[in-house]
């Protein structure tokens, strides 16, 4: 039997690599000679850079950058074994998790640190960047990132502007950097929001980052002002490209300042890990994540894996901590079976502490069950 193990992390308890190890242990308790491929996965959010770096036989590096409020911190990013590709998560430098609740203010926060990570990668020789933009603390449309890369933003009085959300409305002139290297940038972006207006970066997401209604209105005007300026001075109408409003407008910033392409995070991860090629000869796929819920049904990692497997007739099993969908939903996304690893009443702390054994035990039981009752599936 050949198994492909392709789980996401179980947030707060297990990394994707640990989930793979637990699954493999459980399977081998039933089938000691099983051929097992372990392929830790991610959906483009937290942990994606590490997963892609691991797959590229690369190295995770640490470098000093500015956090969203300009304080010095250490941030990590990955570089592939050949040095050509860098894997960066903006949350490592500009993420909401870096701030205390009382510090959150998208009028003051900046993506400058994300730009520092990109610049560091370029200076190391990277010619391609895979950039994850989830979890931002910012609504500056990438103004901070661009400033770190040499772009200049001038007000009407001829003064350089500090790059943050409140200064978007003050931009009078944008100056490109000279001799900026040509790089290929792919942005993992699962949000389809426009830059401004109803459902845009400010109105929909800024309140989650500490914005008051007054701040939301100011930021929305600033985002529209930037988009209008880019359209007038550079001939690019990008504000309503799906994903332009992601990460406080960093989607727009990546499109304009970096010439990036926006792609679904799951697609980037599956392409980068050569997922389709690894399906050759596989009899069964085990996947999973901490919670299977409505988001799972909306095209995230598990749905992507099930869709790829379906065309080859490979059954897919999903393990999770919390199973919050119906059997009909499970079938609709293409799973053969889904189950929680929690097999008795327990507290959240107990569930987290017992997660590894829970995954191992559930994998053992499922392997035993399907060997006994569904042999024909393994013989496909």
């Amino acid at each position: 039997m050949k198994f492909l193990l392709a789980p996401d992390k179980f947030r707060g308890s297990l990394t994707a690599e640990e989930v793979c190890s637990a699954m493999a242990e459980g399977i081998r308790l039933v089938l000691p000679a099983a051929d097992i491929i372990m392929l830790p996965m991610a959906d483009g959010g937290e942990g994606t850079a590490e997963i892609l770096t691991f797959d590229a036989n690369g190295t995770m590096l640490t470098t000093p950058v500015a956090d969203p409020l300009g304080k010095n911190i250490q941030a990590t990013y990955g570089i592939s074994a050949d040095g050509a590709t860098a894997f960066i998560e903006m949350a490592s430098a500009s993420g909401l998790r870096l701030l205390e609740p009382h510090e959150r203010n998208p009028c003051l926060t900046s993506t400058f640190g994300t730009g520092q990570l990109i610049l560091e990668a370029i200076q190391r020789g990277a010619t391609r960047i895979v950039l994850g933009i989830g979890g931002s603390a910012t609504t500056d449309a990438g103004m901070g990132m661009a400033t770190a890369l040499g772009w200049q933003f001038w007000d009407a009085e001829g003064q350089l502007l500090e790059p943050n959300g409140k200064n978007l409305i003050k931009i009078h002139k944008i100056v490109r950097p000279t001799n900026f290297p040509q790089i290929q940038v792919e942005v993992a972006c699962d949000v389809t929001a426009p830059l401004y207006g109803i459902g845009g970066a400010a109105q929909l997401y800024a309140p989650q980052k500490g914005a008051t209604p007054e701040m939301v209105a100011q930021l929305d005007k600033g985002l529209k002002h930037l988009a209008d300026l880019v359209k007038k001075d550079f001939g690019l109408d990008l504000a309503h490209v799906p994903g332009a409003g992601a990460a406080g407008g960093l989607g727009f910033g990546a499109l304009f300042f970096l010439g990036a392409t926006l792609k679904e995070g799951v697609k980037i991860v599956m392409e980068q890990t050569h997922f389709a090629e690894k399906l050759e000869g596989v009899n069964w796929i085990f996947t999973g994540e901490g919670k299977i819920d409505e988001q799972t049904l909306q095209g995230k990692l598990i749905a992507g894996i099930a869709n790829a497997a379906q065309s080859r007739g490979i059954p897919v099993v999903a393990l999770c901590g919390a199973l919050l969908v119906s059997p009909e939903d499970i079938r609709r996304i293409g799973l053969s079976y889904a189950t929680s690893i929690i097999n008795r009443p327990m507290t959240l702390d107990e569930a987290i502490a017992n997660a590894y054994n829970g995954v191992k035990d559930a994998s053992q039981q499922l392997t035993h069950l399907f060997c006994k009752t569904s042999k024909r599936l393994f013989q496909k």
Side-chain angles (χ1 to χ4, degrees), residues 39 148 157 193 221 369:
L39 187 66
E157 283 72 46
K221 289 179 182 177
L369 171 66

Side-chain angles (χ1 to χ4, degrees), residues 15 21 55 59 70 113 131 167 173-174 208 227 250 263 269 321 334 351:
T15 66
S21 296
D55 182 75
T59 305
L131 177 64
N167 283 338
K173 182 180 180 182
I174 302 172
Q208 304 168 13
L250 186 57
K263 300 176 70 172
V269 174

Side-chain angles (χ1 to χ4, degrees), residues 222-299:
L223 293 167
K224 183 178 186 304
H225 172 71
L226 175 62
D228 291 343
L229 191 63
V230 168
K231 183 177 180 180
K232 177 175 72 74
D233 291 352
F234 296 91
L236 296 173
D237 188 4
L238 303 171
H240 298 286
V241 173
L250 186 57
F252 174 92
L255 288 168
F256 175 55
F257 301 118
L258 300 175
T261 56
L262 308 184
K263 300 176 70 172
E264 289 181 35
V266 170
K267 288 184 178 178
I268 288 178
V269 174
M270 294 181 77
E271 289 172 6
Q272 183 72 34
T273 58
H274 305 286
F275 183 84
E277 298 170 23
K278 290 181 170 66
L279 295 178
E280 187 64 35
V282 168
N283 303 108
W284 202 274
I285 297 173
F286 277 29
T287 186
E289 60 185 11
K291 182 189 297 184
I292 296 180
D293 58 9
E294 286 298 318
Q295 284 193 348
T296 310
L297 306 178
Q298 294 169 9

Side-chain angles (χ1 to χ4, degrees), residues 119-270:
L119 184 61
E120 164 82 6
I122 292 171
Q123 290 173 342
R124 281 185 170 268
T127 56
R128 176 173 175 255
I129 306 282
V130 178
L131 177 64
I133 61 172
S136 77
T138 57
T139 310
D140 74 347
M143 182 184 180
M145 173 195 71
T147 299
L149 295 172
W151 290 76
Q152 294 180 344
F153 301 86
W154 299 85
D155 67 14
E157 283 72 46
Q159 298 296 314
L160 277 173
L161 289 165
E162 182 181 353
N164 55 36
K166 73 176 182 179
N167 283 338
L168 289 170
I169 196 69
K170 299 178 184 178
I171 300 172
H172 179 72
K173 182 180 180 182
I174 302 172
V175 179
R176 291 180 181 272
T178 57
N179 301 320
F180 190 75
Q182 291 294 315
I183 56 170
Q184 176 189 352
V185 181
E186 294 180 18
V187 176
C189 176
D190 292 323
V191 172
T192 58
L195 181 62
Y196 62 83
I198 297 173
Q203 294 195 25
L204 188 59
Y205 298 108
Q208 304 168 13
K209 305 171 187 182
T212 64
E214 293 76 19
M215 290 179 190
V216 169
Q218 178 184 358
L219 290 165
D220 197 53
K221 289 179 182 177
L223 293 167
K224 183 178 186 304
H225 172 71
L226 175 62
D228 291 343
L229 191 63
V230 168
K231 183 177 180 180
K232 177 175 72 74
D233 291 352
F234 296 91
L236 296 173
D237 188 4
L238 303 171
H240 298 286
V241 173
L250 186 57
F252 174 92
L255 288 168
F256 175 55
F257 301 118
L258 300 175
T261 56
L262 308 184
K263 300 176 70 172
E264 289 181 35
V266 170
K267 288 184 178 178
I268 288 178
V269 174
M270 294 181 77

